Amino acid sequence: MSRGFLRRRALPGLLIFLFISAVYLYGFPQSNLIYPAVVLLHAAAGLVATILLLVYAASLLKAAGWTARIGWILLTAGGILGAVLIKLGTARAEWNWLYLHIILCLAGVGFLLADRAGKRGWLASSPASAILRVGLCLALLAALGYAARYVRESRWQRRGRIENPQMPAATMDGEGDGPNGAFFPSSAQVYGGQKIPSKFFMESESCKRCHEDIYNQWFSSAHHFSSFNNQWYRKSIEYMQDTVGTRPSKWCGGCHDPAVLYSGLMDTPIKQIVHRPESQAGLGCMMCHSIADVKSTMGQGDFYLEYPRLHELAATQNPVARALHDFLIKLNPEPHRRVFLKPFMREQTAEFCSSCHKVHLDVPVNHYRWFRGFNEYDNWQASGVSGQGARSFYYPPKAQQCADCHMPLAPSKDFGNVDGKVHSHRFPGANTALPTANEDSEQLKITEDFLKNKILSVDIFALSPEPETRSTASAGQSELSTTFAVGEEAETKITPATETEAAPVTAPLSRVQPVVRRGDTVRVDVVVRTRKIGHFFPGGTVDAYDTWLELKGTDEKGQTVFWSGMVEDNGKGPVEKGAHFYRSLQIDGHGNPVNKRNAWATRAVVYVRLIPPGAADTVHYRLHIPDNAGNKITLHARLCYRKFAWWGTQFAFAGVPDPSSPKPDVTADYDDRQFTFTAPLTGVSAKREQIPDLPIVAIAENEITLSVAPHNSPAPQPKVALQADDWQRWNDYGIGLFLQGDLKAAAAAFRKVAEIDPKNPDGWVNLGRAAVQEGDMTRARVVLERALSLSPDLARANYFYARVLRSDGNYDGAAEHLRKVLAQYPRDRVALNDLGRVLFLQRKYSDAISVLQSVLAVDPEDLQAHYNLMLCYSGLGDEKLAEEHQVRYLRFKADESSQTITGPYRQLHPEDNNERQAIHEHVSVPLPVVTTKHVGTAASAVQPGNARLASSSTASSGAFK
């Protein structure tokens, strides 16, 4: 081949091919066989062209004008850099070099085009014209580059954006593939309606070649142990399948068991295949990263999976094919990234996570009706943490999503790292059970450190004399059918306490020097506050954990004078029944507690107590001061957490029906059997064949000391200290009281906030909240106008002021203030619902419908929106659509009659009935008898065995509400 041919024909041809292929590779990254072939050809052609440029550099430069010379130099430099990138690859860390390669080559082409155009007589009259010619050519190529960038990113960024449908299904049969689907009742679907080979979900190790740090993190994570390699989950599915069959268990499998469900293996009872590799795979890399589309935020595995066409090449055991695959990924990782890292995974993280961290049950699962199960998404979305809630008590400095807490940045040199860091795939959260059972000390420490990282606080805050009459307020029942708490995603409806005035308190106890008298009984108030939590505390399946507040009092003699929240068996057994729990207590159709991870058997909820994000709970204790107490009593409060509950762990590892008890009927509605923990431990899904002793983590602690005075000394008087940096403590105290319905006491606490700093609108806004909840709109108007004078655009002040105006019948004014709220927080569902309701009351039905449809765009299952839409369409005479929304309203509405089931249970379990009351007190477990010389309250004469009954006095005197 002649030198002239190579220089005059081959080199220009190669450059033309490189230009065209570069436009294709940059503008249209795709996961198909053509694209990697073009990548290889582009690299090979680039190498050849670079060699030719170097060989003929002297002759090319000698024969060229100044514009061509610059062009050849730039092209040669770009070619050399391209050759280096073939060795280095174009992972994120090399992007600067990649874009420098592109810019050098494009600029070189621009100068060569300008030179060629000049030789053809275009703008060739003067040196100035040559400069203009070069500028125009470079501008043309820059425009082409911008267009390629637009094509590359615009469709991609829009692809698969998570958006809710306007109308949810009328029944569960309309979800997923429906009753005839292979994966139903999970809502999950696979593109093409096909099954996916189980090995696809079992090849996470192939990812390790490029992402070793991420793989090692995942290997210890709860995601890895989501399936039948988790004894707690395994037992729940075995029990479920034994009771209601294999089909309903697919409801769980959509998110827990991909290798089993999507391959069709879940039609087989899991006991028969529990030790197969598919059953031990857990949630591997391919499960989350092969989700191609999330259909809604209704959860339930509501996504589409896609089986990548080139997966077999990635997972092949053929060393040549594997090396070729890895070389191509390293050389151009963009198609790989687009297959496994969709935009919604980074930009709509919470919506992505909602697909599995929010669930509901319905007839195909529970043989009963629609029930909301656990739900991490809605309370996050409606809170200040998300930046979307307008009415929160507190807001973080900036909005946060799930990954900000549960995928923190970790140092890594993996491909794809950004500035030497990746998002941790340990997914730190609250699962201490799995690393304990797996004997993974590193994962356990990371989890415990996460829990102890000031995500909550405990404050032994106030002291007051034992009230002569105890205020009562029944726990409000949600209108939504749910086993979970309902937070700021729905309008707060609180039953006010029966008391007329707030009792005087001594507070904060860390600021004053609190004094109590021997023989007296006082009330101690402890405040638990969520700080760095974006959802309810605790989260997840809140029927399954032990989460409680412990308060222990000891004197300087070493005597324990008070203990609520004691753990039996020296700290290894169950928590005493009278403790203050954070959980959902559910019962089946015969009043048996739902304690076997059998949420599908739930027919009624006895109580749900969780703390919303950025809120607080105020816990009350009745403390009797013994006559022989020392001169100092130290109170120590601990917020304790154990995953899982003691009974649940015993059942998961060794639970079997008691062979000595009668054999009652077992149905989908109830299970009356008694269980013993005597099953053999052979083959359990844990490192050792034994029942693990799960750790109890003290998430937050606080301690104060009380001085003890003689009984005949003057009664201690209430003492209050107001310091500027205590305003949040008073606010937290008030929030906890407010959420219980103790509105007078809450208002008294909020007044302290306003006294500490009259220019802080929070005190005035929260006084307005309490007044609005109490129905005192005159007082609400005064304090809210004060708040608005301080901060006219404050969304929460405008919201509650709109409530005042609406009660006056001033609908125009209410709508104006609600629009101010929505201008700042357009996705606040309660504000949208309120505006829709106001417009309905004004008979502006079409406008109301438009607003209420915005609510359904946030949550298609919003109960209030469906109710108001039903009314609006009836107002317009559109009975068809009115009926559609009526069907959804009735589907999601709570079955109020189911509460009758709780009556007999609460009579048999007075401690749980006490917990059900919104305002209640806790007393000590029985302690050694203390001799009483002075006449005191009933609690002072409590004997061992009777102390627990005292804790139920509030419940029994209010009786069973």
Side-chain angles (χ1 to χ4, degrees):
M1 191 176 294
S2 68
R3 293 171 62 88
F5 175 82
L6 290 174
R7 195 181 77 174
R8 295 186 179 87
R9 300 292 183 188
L11 184 58
L14 286 170
L15 294 180
I16 292 171
F17 170 77
L18 287 169
F19 180 80
I20 295 171
S21 62
V23 172
Y24 168 71
L25 293 176
Y26 184 78
F28 304 93
Q30 300 169 56
S31 179
N32 55 32
L33 290 174
I34 296 174
Y35 191 89
V38 175
V39 169
L40 287 174
L41 288 172
H42 183 86
L47 278 175
V48 173
T50 303
I51 293 169
L52 291 177
L53 285 170
L54 291 171
V55 170
Y56 298 114
S59 58
L60 288 171
L61 294 174
K62 183 178 180 180
W66 69 271
T67 53
R69 285 183 189 145
I70 294 174
W72 291 121
I73 291 170
L74 290 172
L75 270 181
T76 304
I80 293 170
L81 184 53
V84 173
L85 288 172
I86 292 174
K87 173 65 176 176
L88 294 178
T90 60
R92 183 183 292 272
E94 317 302 339
W95 276 8
N96 288 338
W97 296 116
L98 172 64
Y99 278 99
L100 179 59
H101 163 71
I102 293 171
I103 290 169
L104 287 172
C105 291
L106 271 180
V109 169
F111 274 94
L112 290 176
L113 282 176
D115 180 73
R116 188 167 183 82
K119 289 179 178 178
R120 291 177 172 255
W122 183 59
L123 294 176
S125 58
S126 66
S129 300
I131 293 172
L132 176 61
R133 188 171 66 243
V134 169
L136 289 172
C137 288
L138 291 176
L140 177 65
L141 289 174
L144 178 64
Y146 178 81
R149 175 77 178 179
Y150 178 80
V151 171
R152 174 188 174 93
E153 297 297 334
S154 60
R155 286 191 309 160
W156 171 242
Q157 293 299 327
R158 291 195 303 267
R159 183 182 184 275
R161 184 162 183 81
I162 301 171
E163 295 179 351
N164 282 313
Q166 278 293 322
M167 188 74 80
T171 69
M172 197 176 222
D173 287 352
E175 297 171 1
D177 288 325
N180 296 322
F183 316 129
F184 186 80
S186 170
S187 295
Q189 296 174 270
V190 176
Y191 279 132
Q194 60 182 338
K195 293 180 181 178
I196 298 177
S198 57
K199 66 176 183 177
F200 172 68
F201 299 104
M202 299 164 59
E203 293 172 332
S204 296
E205 198 160 353
S206 65
C207 304
K208 185 179 180 181
R209 303 200 299 267
C210 294
H211 305 289
E212 184 173 2
D213 291 336
I214 287 175
Y215 173 85
N216 291 334
Q217 293 159 3
W218 162 84
F219 193 84
S220 292
S221 73
H223 278 192
H224 180 201
F225 295 95
S226 70
S227 192
F228 305 108
N229 50 2
N230 172 338
Q231 181 63 29
W232 290 270
Y233 176 75
R234 169 184 165 182
K235 181 71 170 188
S236 70
I237 298 300
E238 290 174 348
Y239 173 77
M240 183 180 192
Q241 292 185 345
D242 288 345
T243 308
V244 293
T246 58
R247 182 76 184 260
S249 68
K250 294 181 179 181
W251 172 74
C252 309
C255 285
H256 279 268
D257 316 300
V260 179
L261 177 67
Y262 299 113
S263 63
L265 280 173
M266 208 155 188
D267 292 313
T268 305
I270 201 60
K271 285 182 177 179
Q272 298 178 21
I273 58 171
V274 71
H275 294 297
R276 285 179 54 163
E278 296 92 334
S279 304
Q280 301 290 311
L283 284 179
C285 306
M286 299 303 174
M287 174 59 206
C288 294
H289 287 282
S290 66
I291 293 176
D293 183 32
V294 177
K295 296 175 282 180
S296 75
T297 60
M298 290 185 282
Q300 209 63 30
D302 199 17
F303 49 67
Y304 271 105
L305 291 174
E306 186 173 41
Y307 184 59
R309 286 169 286 185
L310 300 182
H311 166 70
E312 298 293 340
L313 181 61
T316 181
Q317 297 302 309
N318 184 298
V320 175
R322 176 184 288 188
L324 177 62
H325 169 271
D326 291 355
F327 172 74
L328 285 168
I329 294 297
K330 185 179 176 184
L331 188 58
N332 190 332
E334 188 63 20
H336 177 80
R337 183 173 73 91
R338 294 193 174 205
V339 168
F340 293 112
L341 190 62
K342 314 295 191 303
F344 60 76
M345 294 178 181
R346 293 185 301 175
E347 296 166 15
Q348 292 180 283
T349 309
E351 288 74 15
F352 176 50
C353 296
S354 76
S355 61
C356 281
H357 291 268
K358 176 181 176 181
V359 301
H360 60 264
L361 303 84
D362 211 332
V363 176
V365 180
N366 63 10
H367 301 80
Y368 176 41
R369 55 157 299 154
W370 191 92
F371 243 124
R372 164 68 66 227
F374 81 92
N375 178 3
E376 309 293 27
Y377 176 76
D378 284 351
N379 52 94
W380 167 84
Q381 186 277 323
S383 75
V385 179
S386 71
Q388 299 176 40
R391 297 157 292 110
S392 295
F393 293 107
Y394 295 109
Y395 290 79
K398 65 175 184 177
Q400 294 179 302
Q401 298 199 61
C402 308
D404 293 317
C405 293
H406 297 291
M407 296 185 73
L409 292 174
S412 174
K413 295 182 180 179
D414 281 359
F415 287 106
N417 76 78
V418 179
D419 298 327
K421 293 184 178 180
V422 296
H423 284 284
S424 174
H425 283 59
R426 286 184 180 274
F427 306 104
N431 198 320
T432 54
L434 285 170
T436 300
N438 296 333
E439 298 185 359
D440 188 337
S441 58
E442 184 180 3
Q443 180 74 6
L444 179 61
K445 184 181 186 304
I446 287 171
T447 304
E448 290 182 340
D449 289 348
F450 178 84
L451 288 169
K452 294 177 181 179
N453 190 26
K454 299 180 180 178
I455 59 175
L456 290 105
S457 63
V458 171
D459 187 2
I460 307 174
F461 184 76
L463 194 70
S464 58
E466 182 188 28
E468 293 181 7
T469 59
R470 296 184 181 86
S471 54
T472 59
S474 59
Q477 299 300 311
S478 170
E479 293 185 9
L480 182 75
S481 180
T482 181
T483 62
F484 205 71
V486 176
E488 293 172 87
E489 63 268 31
E491 185 176 324
T492 304
K493 295 185 178 179
I494 296 170
T495 304
T498 56
E499 65 178 14
T500 56
E501 294 299 331
V505 299
T506 294
L509 296 183
S510 63
R511 300 292 188 192
V512 300
Q513 295 178 340
V515 178
V516 294
R517 296 189 305 182
R518 292 184 179 88
D520 282 0
T521 298
V522 296
R523 189 172 88 167
V524 177
D525 292 338
V526 182
V527 179
V528 182
R529 155 94 182 270
T530 49
R531 292 189 177 273
K532 296 192 293 184
I533 296 181
H535 48 71
F536 276 114
F537 172 82
T541 51
V542 292
D543 58 306
Y545 316 144
D546 280 334
T547 310
W548 75 101
L549 185 65
E550 177 191 68
L551 182 66
K552 187 175 184 180
T554 55
D555 65 12
E556 78 273 19
K557 302 175 186 178
Q559 297 180 113
T560 299
V561 299
F562 184 93
W563 199 349
S564 173
M566 182 190 75
V567 180
E568 298 175 13
D569 191 18
N570 225 10
K572 296 183 179 181
V575 183
E576 58 104 352
K577 295 179 181 179
H580 187 80
F581 287 100
Y582 295 101
R583 64 177 176 179
S584 172
L585 178 57
Q586 306 158 32
I587 55 176
D588 67 18
H590 278 190
N592 303 297
V594 171
N595 54 9
K596 298 178 281 295
R597 308 296 302 277
N598 54 324
W600 42 269
T602 297
R603 296 298 178 265
V605 178
V606 179
Y607 70 84
V608 180
R609 177 168 295 104
L610 309 175
I611 309 177
D617 180 39
T618 300
V619 188
H620 310 295
Y621 294 94
R622 187 150 32 109
L623 169 64
H624 175 69
I625 311 302
D627 288 327
N628 69 342
N631 295 323
K632 300 284 185 182
I633 293 177
T634 298
L635 295 179
H636 189 96
R638 298 194 311 157
L639 181 61
C640 300
Y641 174 84
R642 176 168 61 186
K643 183 164 183 169
F644 292 88
W646 178 87
W647 198 98
T649 295
Q650 305 302 306
F651 173 78
F653 280 78
V656 290
D658 187 348
S660 65
S661 64
K663 295 183 178 178
D665 290 337
V666 179
T667 72
D669 294 309
Y670 58 85
D671 184 349
D672 292 337
R673 294 175 295 177
Q674 299 297 311
F675 287 83
T676 63
F677 308 132
T678 57
L681 296 171
T682 306
V684 294
S685 296
K687 189 111 180 213
R688 297 175 190 242
E689 293 180 338
Q690 63 184 36
I691 301 175
D693 179 19
L694 299 183
I696 293 172
V697 180
I699 296 176
E701 303 181 65
N702 188 230
E703 187 173 280
I704 61 99
T705 298
L706 307 176
S707 296
V708 181
H711 181 75
N712 57 4
S713 63
Q717 296 303 303
K719 195 185 309 181
V720 168
L722 299 180
Q723 295 189 14
D725 53 355
D726 281 340
W727 80 266
Q728 282 196 15
R729 298 178 68 191
W730 283 101
N731 203 42
D732 296 343
Y733 182 53
I735 291 167
L737 295 169
F738 172 80
L739 294 177
Q740 293 171 5
D742 198 348
L743 301 180
K744 296 290 187 185
F750 294 143
R751 274 196 294 274
K752 295 292 189 291
V753 177
E755 287 177 35
I756 289 172
D757 183 2
K759 294 183 179 180
N760 180 355
D762 280 295
W764 304 108
V765 170
N766 290 338
L767 280 166
R769 287 181 200 258
V772 166
Q773 198 67 53
E774 200 170 7
D776 187 347
M777 296 303 177
T778 301
R779 182 159 56 94
R781 183 190 305 276
V782 173
V783 293
L784 289 170
E785 286 178 350
R786 179 70 179 272
L788 288 169
S789 70
L790 294 169
S791 183
D793 295 324
L794 188 64
R796 48 194 182 274
N798 278 282
Y799 171 78
F800 290 109
Y801 195 64
R803 294 279 299 274
V804 173
L805 296 176
R806 174 177 153 186
S807 73
D808 292 343
N810 183 354
Y811 297 143
D812 287 336
E816 179 185 351
H817 282 274
L818 287 170
R819 289 190 174 100
K820 281 187 178 180
V821 175
L822 292 168
Q824 301 172 63
Y825 298 94
R827 286 171 58 84
D828 186 292
R829 288 159 50 182
V830 173
L832 286 166
N833 266 320
D834 276 14
L835 179 57
R837 182 70 178 176
V838 167
L839 293 169
F840 166 77
L841 293 172
Q842 293 179 302
R843 298 180 181 273
K844 298 178 180 178
Y845 300 130
S846 296
D847 292 341
I849 287 169
S850 177
V851 171
L852 293 168
Q853 284 175 339
S854 299
V855 179
L856 297 186
V858 178
D859 179 20
E861 296 165 324
D862 189 281
L863 186 73
Q864 196 63 40
H866 285 293
Y867 177 76
N868 285 324
L869 282 165
M870 174 184 72
L871 297 180
C872 289
Y873 282 115
S874 292
L876 290 174
D878 191 336
E879 295 304 323
K880 182 178 182 299
L881 281 174
E883 183 179 355
E884 288 284 323
H885 287 285
Q886 181 184 30
V887 168
R888 273 71 179 178
Y889 172 72
L890 293 174
R891 182 187 182 199
F892 304 137
K893 190 178 187 302
D895 177 10
E896 296 170 0
S897 65
S898 69
Q899 281 299 302
T900 59
I901 303 173
T902 70
Y905 176 88
R906 290 185 282 126
Q907 288 178 332
L908 293 171
H909 301 84
E911 296 90 354
D912 291 332
N913 185 57
N914 185 50
E915 279 289 270
R916 176 183 169 93
Q917 311 310 308
I919 304 173
H920 62 275
E921 294 177 341
H922 298 271
V923 300
S924 177
V925 297
L927 297 169
V929 177
V930 177
T931 303
T932 304
K933 295 181 180 179
H934 304 284
V935 177
T937 63
S940 66
V942 169
Q943 300 293 316
N946 295 332
R948 182 52 57 216
L949 295 178
S951 73
S952 302
S953 61
T954 305
S956 56
S957 63
F960 296 91
K961 297 183 179 179

